[in-house]
Amino acid sequence: MERSSAPADPATNIVSRVYGPIGHIELDRPSKLNALTLGMLTELTRVLSAWAEDSSISLVLLTGRGERAFCAGGDIADFHRAVTTGKHQEFLDLLSLEFDLDYLISTYPKPLISLAHGITMGGGVGLASHAPVRLVTQSATMGMPEAKIGYTPDVGGSHLLANAPGHFGEYFAMSAASFKGADAVYLGFADVVVTDSFAQNILDELDEFVGLSAGEIISAIEVLHGAQESYALELSQGWVDHAFSADTPSQVLERLEQMVHPAARQAAETLLANSPSSVSSAFYTVRKARAEQDLRSALDRELRMAGYLMHQPDLAEGIRAQVIDKDRNPRWSPALMSGVDQYALRSLAEGSQL
């Protein structure tokens, strides 16, 4: 029997309903790949905060409507408008709200199940990969693509990447490469890869998990509905660790360019095509996140980096090239890593406010 939650403004693109002891939240902006807006973030925070205190709700499910995406991240067009019209602080406030939401999800006091499918990038990873129970379909496409647009991994992505095996964290952060859901458990972005059948009918399957702890739910779903994981990335561990364990971003690039492995050469080309400032920022944020092992610190560090990079030319230019004009030909400034203010980025990663 459905027990409706307090009505929400349809403009928020969030649908929240209660079915007995189960609360279900859906991202409802499928035509925009469920990209997050201020209204969506505000409503998600409101509903999750209310349900955390509601003793009648034992379990919460978070999904995205539409076949194409769980959530493609933040609304990049809104970001572009903010940094090109002088509304930097407004957007920084939005990011702060989003990061606080991600932290709320990570510390949720009852089992919160996220189900990542389709495109799950950037802000979508923030919602999906910090939950107490993290499910993903085999075919989902996940990643932190920020280095392609002159930005930096955020929403706690640096913390997740820092805990990936070896130095895959630096690789995925600096290259902005994506990976499939079948690889998500190996990389630490999910707990269970689930079958498509279970994903499509998940709400009908949850009654049997009510009353279980998050750990018990993970174990039960893995046994009953788990799909095959991939360990293909292990084959790349050697060259990835050799190159991305270097002490500086420039040394990473030098090692890649010296290697004969075709994948390493391709990675070098990818890094050279991305914003040099973003590639460097990604390196420092992942390294510091690995050293500290604290999600809240990682989020605070990412916010400092965001505040710095949104005042640099690459962010507006990267969004223009990738999203607005789609010419895929960004003109980075500086154009080479040798011109990047490495001291500023390293200082921000270590805790300084410039």
Side-chain angles (χ1 to χ4, degrees):
M1 179 69 69
E2 179 178 339
R3 174 171 63 85
S4 296
S5 61
D9 181 354
T12 63
N13 298 113
I14 297 295
V15 177
S16 56
R17 295 191 176 96
V18 176
Y19 304 88
I22 299 172
H24 183 203
I25 303 175
E26 295 177 281
L27 310 179
D28 185 22
R29 204 182 177 210
S31 65
K32 297 294 184 180
L33 304 180
N34 293 323
L36 298 167
T37 64
L38 175 60
M40 295 172 74
L41 294 169
T42 302
E43 181 66 2
L44 282 167
T45 301
R46 184 192 72 81
V47 175
L48 284 173
S49 297
W51 286 359
E53 303 296 327
D54 189 338
S55 60
S56 68
I57 296 177
S58 302
L59 183 154
V60 176
L61 172 67
L62 175 61
T63 62
R65 285 189 172 181
E67 296 182 359
R68 297 173 61 199
F70 166 71
C71 175
D75 193 307
I76 298 298
D78 285 351
F79 208 166
H80 188 264
R81 280 190 292 271
V83 300
T84 55
T85 59
K87 297 181 179 178
H88 300 77
Q89 187 58 50
E90 288 184 20
F91 209 85
L92 200 61
D93 291 342
L94 180 150
L95 292 175
S96 181
L97 172 65
E98 181 177 13
F99 295 4
D100 287 346
L101 171 62
D102 296 328
Y103 191 72
L104 169 64
I105 288 172
S106 77
T107 58
Y108 210 65
K110 55 188 68 174
L112 191 168
I113 302 173
S114 64
L115 173 61
H117 79 282
I119 298 171
T120 303
M121 297 281 187
V125 169
L127 297 181
S129 295
H130 295 304
V133 181
R134 308 170 301 168
L135 310 181
V136 65
T137 62
Q138 288 177 305
S139 60
T141 300
M142 304 184 77
M144 302 301 297
E146 292 81 7
K148 292 180 179 179
I149 62 165
Y151 187 45
T152 189
D154 66 354
V155 299
S158 65
H159 175 76
L160 293 164
L161 290 166
N163 286 286
H167 290 274
F168 274 117
E170 286 92 337
Y171 166 73
F172 281 107
M174 298 170 77
S175 68
S178 60
F179 54 88
K180 287 298 181 184
D183 295 306
V185 174
Y186 174 71
L187 290 173
F189 281 67
D191 297 308
V192 184
V193 181
V194 297
T195 63
D196 289 339
S197 175
F198 177 72
Q200 291 164 5
N201 301 285
I202 185 169
L203 192 60
D204 297 330
E205 304 278 357
L206 290 185
D207 284 343
E208 60 187 302
F209 303 120
V210 173
L212 300 181
S213 68
E216 290 169 336
I217 292 173
I218 290 169
S219 297
I221 290 178
E222 185 172 21
V223 170
L224 298 173
H225 305 289
Q228 186 172 359
E229 300 174 22
S230 171
Y231 296 94
L233 286 174
E234 285 186 293
L235 300 175
S236 300
Q237 189 87 56
W239 71 263
V240 167
D241 283 359
H242 172 70
F244 289 89
S245 63
D247 292 333
T248 68
S250 295
Q251 288 175 5
V252 169
L253 187 56
E254 289 171 5
R255 289 188 182 183
L256 288 171
E257 291 177 326
Q258 292 168 358
M259 295 172 72
V260 297
H261 197 295
R265 293 293 182 90
Q266 180 60 52
E269 293 178 9
T270 299
L271 262 63
L272 287 169
N274 291 341
S275 161
S277 297
S278 295
V279 168
S280 300
S281 171
F283 176 88
Y284 293 121
T285 54
V286 170
R287 282 289 167 91
K288 192 61 178 178
R290 184 179 293 122
E292 286 194 351
Q293 289 296 315
D294 182 79
L295 175 59
R296 184 69 259 181
S297 292
L299 291 164
D300 293 342
R301 180 180 306 109
E302 293 165 353
L303 195 64
R304 290 194 300 272
M305 283 289 188
Y308 175 80
L309 291 174
M310 68 172 57
H311 287 279
Q312 306 305 309
D314 278 3
L315 181 54
E317 171 62 9
I319 297 175
R320 179 206 65 75
Q322 299 291 347
V323 180
I324 307 298
D325 297 338
K326 298 183 180 179
D327 59 29
R328 307 292 192 265
N329 186 33
R331 296 171 179 83
W332 304 125
S333 179
L336 299 175
M337 199 173 293
S338 58
V340 173
D341 188 344
Q342 301 288 340
Y343 174 79
L345 294 174
R346 188 168 56 248
S347 297
L348 285 165
E350 291 174 353
S352 300
Q353 287 283 4
L354 300 181

